[in-house]
Amino acid sequence: QPYEKGTRVTMIEDPTSRTLNVVGGPLLHAVIRVRNRESLSRLKALAEGTAPRPSGVLPARQRPHAV
């Protein structure tokens, strides 16, 4: 979404498994928050040109397993 002089990106991620969400609770959400913060930091560096763009062939994505 547009934000001041740029774009604001927000990531929201929840476990797909209700059981994992209940068992993991706040601890799981804290771990996901840290991971998403790192991902957004890397995206920012790429977008602003302060990190080199990856080159070469990217590995194929694996489809997530059905729960």
Side-chain angles (χ1 to χ4, degrees), residues 54-61:
S55 62
V57 178
L58 296 175
R61 289 183 172 218

Side-chain angles (χ1 to χ4, degrees), residues 1-2 7 10 14 23 26 29-30 32 40-41 47 51 59 62 66:
Q1 60 185 204
T7 302
T10 304
D14 291 315
V23 173
H29 284 280
I32 290 172
L40 289 171
S41 176
Q62 294 182 0

Side-chain angles (χ1 to χ4, degrees), residues 6-50:
T7 302
R8 181 180 187 152
V9 177
T10 304
M11 288 178 68
I12 300 171
E13 183 177 5
D14 291 315
T16 55
S17 165
R18 180 172 164 82
T19 304
L20 188 57
N21 195 22
V22 171
V23 173
L27 178 61
L28 181 61
H29 284 280
V31 170
I32 290 172
R33 190 176 307 115
V34 169
R35 182 176 71 174
N36 287 346
R37 187 175 297 130
E38 176 63 24
S39 296
L40 289 171
S41 176
R42 290 178 182 187
L43 178 61
K44 179 181 180 188
L46 287 170
E48 293 178 345
T50 58

